[in-house]
Amino acid sequence: MTDLPRPSMRGTIKIGDTEVSLLEIPAGGTPLRKICRTTPTSIEIVFPLDTTIVVRDEEREESAVRADEALVLIGARRYAVFSAQRSVAIAVTVPQLAVDEYVTDTGRSTIIRDSAVLGPVKKFLAGVMETPGELERLSAYFLEKLLWEMTASLLLENRGAGGIAAPAPGLLDRAMAQIAAYRTDQSLTPTVLAQSLSISMRQLQRIFSSIGSTPSREIRRHRAELAVSMLKNPAFRVLNITQVAHHSGFADAADLRRAFEALGYCTPSQLRARGA
């Protein structure tokens, strides 16, 4: 994937309970050994950036992973990476509890391929490795949550990571994965969602009507759920309602209030007061 930036920072960035590591793999089959430090149980996703790599897990099972794929390791404590030529990969380690609802099996690995989310995630991770110095606490919190959402989106779209025997993710799963990954982006609309899935608006509406919903409602619901978690969290009391709205993907506080009302929630101010 030649359009991916090549990160200049080396080593590991720790963000809360999550780690993002740059793996510089030597040529000639010399192994690079990686220890997963997140506890108690972690999910590790390895993203090759420029060429095929081979990953050997604790059971000595090997997986060849191309540059347009990623490898998910569930519950791994360590692994080794090989390559015929010098190459670079990025590894993301997240606590399994953060994405547990998307995982129904442990102690196994799976390759993610043909994913609409994979390309944007790789580009984002390459940018994360360029992050200078220490992140301030609020920025680190948002970044970790975003990494968790991206991991969940990959697991949801791929399905194989959860031990579900499905030949390919359905359009509904792909749409939900896109919404989960980009709900904080105010430019995400049903039209943009349809374009990203390469389908018509009519097809998109038909997909969501099968579950008694609409694309707009699901985008609004995902954003509202994020806003609810922020309003209940004491760490975000430094943010006013308008700032919470912006960080959740809403245009302003009025947009957030309308979404809460449409979903049958109390007002944002009432929700925050209850959590005080």
Side-chain angles (χ1 to χ4, degrees):
M1 302 181 70
T2 56
D3 59 332
L4 282 173
R6 194 180 184 90
S8 60
M9 181 174 284
R10 300 182 179 184
T12 297
I13 298 175
K14 186 170 178 60
I15 310 161
D17 293 323
T18 302
E19 292 183 353
V20 183
S21 303
L22 185 66
L23 309 180
E24 295 187 293
I25 307 160
T30 302
L32 172 71
R33 305 190 187 280
K34 172 73 165 60
I35 297 176
C36 308
R37 301 184 186 280
T38 301
T39 57
T41 304
S42 66
I43 291 178
E44 184 111 355
I45 306 184
V46 184
F47 302 86
L49 294 188
D50 46 16
T51 189
T52 298
I53 63 174
V54 176
V55 178
R56 179 187 295 162
D57 63 20
E58 294 170 287
E59 305 298 324
R60 303 192 67 80
E61 293 186 5
E62 295 187 353
S63 301
V65 192
R66 301 197 311 260
D68 59 347
E69 299 173 337
L71 178 70
V72 179
L73 296 168
I74 301 176
R77 291 174 297 178
R78 62 181 65 86
Y79 58 90
V81 189
F82 308 82
S83 180
Q85 61 191 67
R86 186 177 180 276
S87 59
V88 176
I90 290 179
V92 178
T93 312
V94 303
Q96 185 169 327
L97 287 175
V99 292
D100 203 38
E101 63 185 292
Y102 303 101
V103 179
T104 59
D105 194 12
T106 57
R108 58 173 297 179
S109 63
T110 188
I111 292 178
I112 295 175
R113 53 173 61 94
D114 300 324
S115 167
V117 180
L118 189 54
V121 169
K122 282 188 174 185
K123 290 182 179 180
F124 177 80
L125 291 174
V128 168
M129 294 307 298
E130 299 286 350
T131 304
E134 292 291 326
L135 291 167
E136 61 99 9
R137 188 165 66 99
L138 201 57
S139 296
Y141 181 92
F142 279 119
L143 181 55
E144 183 174 37
K145 289 292 186 184
L146 184 55
L147 289 169
W148 290 357
E149 287 185 9
M150 288 182 170
T151 302
S153 297
L154 285 168
L155 296 176
L156 176 62
E157 188 186 47
N158 189 66
R159 285 296 189 182
I164 300 173
L171 278 174
L172 178 60
D173 288 340
R174 290 174 57 199
M176 288 296 197
Q178 291 275 29
I179 292 172
Y182 300 108
R183 61 183 173 178
T184 59
D185 186 346
Q186 292 182 23
S187 67
L188 178 64
T189 64
T191 299
V192 170
L193 181 60
Q195 291 172 347
S196 71
L197 296 170
S198 300
I199 60 176
S200 68
M201 273 298 298
R202 179 172 293 183
Q203 286 176 292
L204 185 67
Q205 290 165 347
R206 190 180 303 122
I207 290 166
F208 281 96
S209 68
S210 69
I211 59 170
S213 189
T214 67
S216 295
R217 179 178 174 82
E218 290 305 311
I219 292 172
R220 185 169 60 240
R221 181 178 65 81
H222 275 73
R223 287 171 172 164
E225 287 176 354
L226 177 58
V228 167
S229 68
M230 292 175 64
L231 290 167
K232 288 182 175 180
N233 192 326
F236 292 107
R237 295 198 67 82
V238 296
L239 301 180
N240 60 37
I241 301 298
T242 298
Q243 290 171 320
V244 169
H246 289 162
H247 284 300
S248 304
F250 292 101
D252 50 36
D255 192 21
L256 174 60
R257 284 194 296 271
R258 285 192 294 269
F260 272 35
E261 182 179 356
L263 293 168
Y265 299 168
C266 62
T267 68
S269 297
Q270 290 171 335
L271 183 63
R272 169 163 278 178
R274 290 176 184 176

